[in-house]
Amino acid sequence: MISTKNMTNLYWFCLSVECGGFAAASIKANTSAPTVSRSVASLEQQLNEKLLHRDSKNFQLTNAGEEIYNKFSGLFSGLDGQWQSLSNAQGELTGDIHISCPEPFADFFLQALALEFMAEHPKVNIHVHFASDAKDFISEQIDLAIVTLPATASHLVQRQLFETELALAASKSYLTQKGAPGSAKELLDHNVLAGNNFPYWLLKEGSEPIKIPIKPKYSINSLRLNIQAAIEGAGICLMPKVALEHLASQNKLVPVLPEVECPKGTAYLVWTDRKMIASRVVAFRDLVFSRMNHNAETLWRNMLG
C-alpha cells in the first residue's frame, strides 16, 4: 500500500511539473520551495530514478519522470475534480478572488461586475491588480487574468474573450505638422505611440506583409492613455477601429493609411490548468464570459471614446 508520504511526494512532483518549477509550485500551494524540492528528491530516491533535469535555467522531465507524471497526474486531477464537485455542492461561495487586468478593463467592465458579484455573494472578496499579461500570474497568486498579450506558460490555459479590428490613427494637428505617411514603410519616419510590448506591428499593404519595428516616441502601458496622447498630437497609434470611428465622428482623430490591413486586437481570460479551481473563481469566470459575449463593442466605445 502506498504511504501517505509517498502520495504527498507524488503530488508535489506533479504540481511542480504543471507549474514549471519548484518556486512556482510552492507559491501555488502556499508552502516553501525547499519543501517541494525535498519531496521530489525523496521520491527520486524512493524510486531510484531521476525524474527531472534541473538547474538554474532548466526544468525538464526525464523519460522516467514523464512516465510517472502521465500515470499519476490524471489521478490528482480526478481527485481535484471530485473535490470541486463537493465544494460546489456546499452552496455558499466564500473566500478571496485575485484578478489581474489592464486598467481600462477595470474602469469600464470589471469593477461593476465585481461589485455586482460581491453583492450577490457577500462572503467573497475580490482584489484587482493592474497588468496586461500573465507574467506574474504565479508570483502574485492570481486566480484569473484578463490579458492582451497571450500567455505562454504551459501550466496556464486561456480562452479568447473577444477579437477586434485595429486601425492606425492620429490627430489632424499632428498630420498637419508632420504630414501623412503615404505607405506603411513611411511610418518609420513618424512618431509612433505604443501601448504594448510588441517589438513590431505586422501590417499588410496590398498583398505584401510588412513588419514595422516599434521604436516609440512615447510608450505607456495603458491603451486609454496612449490614445489620449494621439488625440493631443503626440503621434500615430494603433487602436480599435470601433473606437476610432467614434472619435473620428467627434473630430478628435482621423484614420491613417486606412487601406493598410492591421493586426487584430485580442483579449484572453487566463487561469491555471489545475482542476482544483475554487467554485467562487469558476462562478466569476463564467460571469465574465457571459457578460463579455454581449458587451465587447460597448466596452471599447465606453473605454476609449
Side-chain angles (χ1 to χ4, degrees):
M1 179 179 292
I2 189 171
S3 68
T4 302
K5 181 180 179 181
N6 286 339
M7 181 66 78
T8 301
N9 292 343
L10 280 167
Y11 172 76
W12 288 132
F13 168 69
C14 291
L15 182 62
S16 298
V17 174
E18 290 174 6
C19 291
F22 298 142
S26 68
I27 292 170
K28 191 67 181 176
N30 196 27
T31 190
S32 69
T35 295
V36 179
S37 178
R38 284 194 298 267
S39 292
V40 174
S42 177
L43 180 63
E44 289 178 321
Q45 186 176 11
Q46 180 71 23
L47 298 174
N48 197 27
E49 290 277 8
K50 187 169 184 63
L51 304 178
L52 293 165
H53 296 299
R54 54 193 183 273
D55 54 34
S56 59
K57 295 183 178 180
N58 298 304
F59 189 90
Q60 187 174 1
L61 283 169
T62 64
N63 290 336
E66 186 172 0
E67 181 181 357
I68 295 296
Y69 177 76
N70 290 338
K71 283 183 178 179
F72 289 96
S73 61
L75 170 64
F76 290 116
S77 294
L79 288 172
D80 287 346
Q82 293 298 320
W83 180 258
Q84 177 62 36
S85 298
L86 179 63
S87 175
N88 287 339
Q90 301 307 307
E92 188 173 27
L93 300 180
T94 64
D96 294 335
I97 304 175
H98 289 266
I99 306 165
S100 69
C101 70
E103 182 179 353
F105 281 88
D107 284 346
F108 294 100
F109 177 72
L110 193 63
Q111 175 158 298
L113 207 62
L115 296 179
E116 175 188 332
F117 190 84
M118 289 187 294
E120 185 176 350
H121 305 286
K123 293 188 178 181
V124 171
N125 310 308
I126 295 178
H127 311 278
V128 179
H129 313 250
F130 291 146
S132 61
D133 56 35
K135 181 178 62 176
D136 298 322
F137 192 98
I138 293 296
S139 62
E140 297 293 336
Q141 300 188 52
I142 301 298
D143 297 301
L144 296 169
I146 296 174
V147 302
T148 55
L149 297 174
T152 57
S154 60
H155 63 281
L156 298 178
V157 293
Q158 62 189 5
R159 179 174 154 190
Q160 184 175 304
L161 280 174
F162 63 86
E163 183 178 74
T164 187
E165 292 186 72
L166 300 182
L168 295 163
S171 68
K172 289 181 180 178
S173 62
Y174 173 83
L175 296 176
T176 298
Q177 179 185 5
K178 298 286 188 178
S183 67
K185 290 180 180 178
E186 290 184 18
L187 289 169
L188 296 171
D189 300 322
H190 280 266
N191 295 343
V192 172
L193 311 178
N196 281 324
N197 299 321
F198 293 118
Y200 57 83
W201 288 341
L202 183 57
L203 308 176
K204 191 173 183 181
E205 193 166 26
S207 59
E208 180 186 3
I210 300 173
K211 282 185 179 181
I212 302 298
I214 300 302
K215 296 181 179 179
K217 175 72 173 179
Y218 176 68
S219 64
I220 185 168
N221 196 22
S222 166
L223 183 56
R224 177 176 58 85
L225 294 178
N226 196 278
I227 291 173
Q228 187 60 43
I231 292 172
E232 294 177 14
I236 298 173
C237 73
L238 189 63
M239 63 179 294
K241 186 176 288 188
V242 64
L244 173 57
E245 291 170 353
H246 181 59
L247 293 171
S249 71
Q250 299 176 338
N251 292 316
K252 292 182 177 180
L253 289 174
V254 296
V256 172
L257 298 173
E259 72 284 357
V260 169
E261 183 180 332
C262 298
K264 303 285 186 182
T266 309
Y268 305 89
L269 188 62
V270 177
W271 61 94
T272 180
D273 68 354
R274 286 187 48 74
K275 299 298 183 182
M276 193 171 68
I277 177 171
S279 54
R280 62 185 177 274
V281 177
V282 172
F284 192 78
R285 181 192 67 188
D286 292 346
L287 182 61
V288 169
F289 282 129
S290 173
R291 294 297 176 82
M292 184 57 74
N293 284 341
H294 303 290
N295 292 309
E297 183 169 323
T298 301
L299 169 66
W300 284 118
R301 289 188 183 277
N302 291 339
M303 189 164 65
L304 304 167

